[in-house]
Every structure is written in C-alpha cells, then in structure tokens.
Amino acid sequence: MNFVCPDKKCENCSRLIAFRHENEKKFPTYYNGPVPSFGGLDAEILIIGLAPGLNGANQTARPFTNDYAGDVLYPILKEFGFAKGEYQKRKDDGFELVNVRITNSVRCVPPQNKVTGEEVNNCGRYLIEEIRSMPNLKVILTLGAVAHSALLGVLGYKKAAFKFAHGAVHRLDKHNLLMLNSYHTSRYNVNTGVLTYEMFQDIVRKLKELC
C-alpha cells in the first residue's frame, strides 16, 4: 500500500476547515493545509505528535518545523543519530531524518492547539493507512496522551489496558510493535518543568535501545 496524505480538499472536519479559511486570509503565505508526514515509509520508527502549530508546521508544511516543540525534538534526534544536516526551521533546510518518520494525530492546525475526539477519529484513517504502509516499523513514539490514545484507537486496543506514562513501553502484540510514551515537547511542558531536555534525551536514548 502506498500511503497518501490528505490534501487541501479534505473536508472531514468542519471546525478545522473553517479555521483553515480564516488563516488563509490572515496568513496568505502559510501552507494552511493538512501537513504531510516527514521521513520515509521504510523507517523502523514512527513518532506521533498532536497537531501542527499555527506558526510552525501550518506555516512550513513539515511537522514540528518552526515550532518550539521542534527546537527540542530535532536536535535530540540528531544527537542520537536519528537525523542529519542542520535544522534551520524551514522545509527546504536540507535536514533529514534517519530511520524515523514523523506525523501528527490530527494533520490540520486546530484552534487554540486543541483537538476534538471527532477530529482525532477522522484523521485516524490516515494514521492506520500510514502504519500499514511502513513494512519495517518496529517502534512508535507517542508524544502526549492524545497521540497515545489515537494510536490505540486505530489499532483496535482497549485504552484502559495501556495507561499513558512518560517513559512507559507497551507491547502491542497483535501488531508486533512497541509503543514508547513521552510527554510532548511543547513549550508549555518544558516551561512548566513537566518535561526537561534531559528527560527527552532519556526517551530518545531508550528509543535507540528498542530498535
């Protein structure tokens, strides 16, 4: 199966479409559409975030790019050999992922960076297709509880059986996959001390061990 990302004709979520149209007027130079995943389908690792940031991925059309969360994520990925090049907050900066693919639970930017359950479910069809299109996939890193729940939902697992906890590793035996949990690398989490740079280094170190 060849995975196809939703395009700007996607009309699954009325709230997100309305917000997109607002942003097309406010920010006409932005991408303003469902953000494509970053990295190859042949990767062994998939990282799932929440949704594009208004002035980050929604602007640049690459997950976590020009966003504070990416300022934490990408340098640490590179530190552990999961990326190469110089991350310069642009889609055309030449920065490359190594054995990693990055996507979001919801592909369009949501108002106030908050998604609804319906929007997560609507985008779930793309997430499951993406997973099925990754023949070498071994480990999925979920950044935050929303991504954790979205993954369990599309794979058909009972959420109560897999409690989200930072650093937890869950075996998804029916799919021969491992799921690693982490707090999201958002500015809020870092500023409030929920997640430190060192804590996320430990997560990516564990990710390397699991592969």
Side-chain angles (χ1 to χ4, degrees):
M1 178 185 295
N2 292 319
F3 171 70
V4 178
C5 181
D7 60 23
K8 293 185 180 182
K9 296 180 182 179
C10 179
E11 297 183 353
N12 290 332
C13 306
S14 57
R15 187 181 77 114
L16 300 185
I17 293 169
F19 192 53
R20 182 192 306 166
H21 292 329
E22 290 178 19
N23 291 323
E24 286 171 344
K25 296 176 182 177
K26 292 180 181 178
F27 310 106
T29 62
Y30 283 16
Y31 177 72
N32 292 317
V35 175
S37 301
F38 180 28
L41 286 168
D42 60 345
E44 294 180 312
I45 298 167
L46 178 64
I47 299 176
I48 306 175
L50 174 62
L54 176 59
N55 298 301
N58 179 63
Q59 176 184 1
T60 62
R62 192 176 74 182
F64 291 84
T65 301
N66 198 43
D67 194 312
Y68 180 88
D71 294 346
V72 177
L73 174 66
Y74 286 131
I76 294 179
L77 287 179
K78 181 179 177 181
E79 178 183 344
F80 286 89
F82 289 122
K84 59 184 180 180
E86 296 300 321
Y87 171 61
Q88 299 177 20
K89 305 185 181 184
R90 307 188 316 272
K91 188 176 183 179
D92 62 353
D93 57 11
F95 190 73
E96 298 179 29
L97 297 178
V98 178
N99 203 29
V100 172
R101 185 174 173 89
I102 300 177
T103 192
N104 277 306
S105 305
V106 173
R107 313 292 169 118
C108 295
V109 60
Q112 300 178 330
N113 202 35
K114 295 180 180 179
V115 299
T116 67
E118 180 182 11
E119 290 159 358
V120 173
N121 290 337
N122 286 343
C123 243
R125 71 188 71 179
Y126 301 110
L127 181 58
I128 189 61
E129 287 178 6
E130 193 161 14
I131 290 170
R132 289 171 178 167
S133 298
M134 298 182 69
N136 303 319
L137 184 60
K138 293 181 179 179
V139 185
I140 300 176
L141 171 60
T142 55
L143 300 181
V146 171
H148 171 85
S149 295
L151 176 62
L152 293 174
V154 299
L155 294 182
Y157 292 94
K158 292 183 178 180
K159 297 175 184 178
F162 300 88
K163 185 177 180 180
F164 175 84
H166 181 76
V169 178
H170 304 278
R171 293 188 176 278
L172 307 179
D173 291 331
K174 290 189 298 183
H175 296 82
N176 195 29
L177 294 171
L178 295 175
M179 173 174 61
L180 173 61
N181 294 159
S182 173
Y183 294 130
H184 197 284
T185 57
S186 67
R187 183 188 298 272
Y188 177 82
N189 281 346
V190 174
N191 285 350
T192 57
V194 170
L195 179 71
T196 65
Y197 198 87
E198 291 74 21
M199 286 170 65
F200 195 68
Q201 282 178 314
D202 289 341
I203 288 292
V204 178
R205 185 177 293 109
K206 183 177 290 189
L207 186 63
K208 196 172 185 71
E209 293 171 355
L210 293 174
C211 283

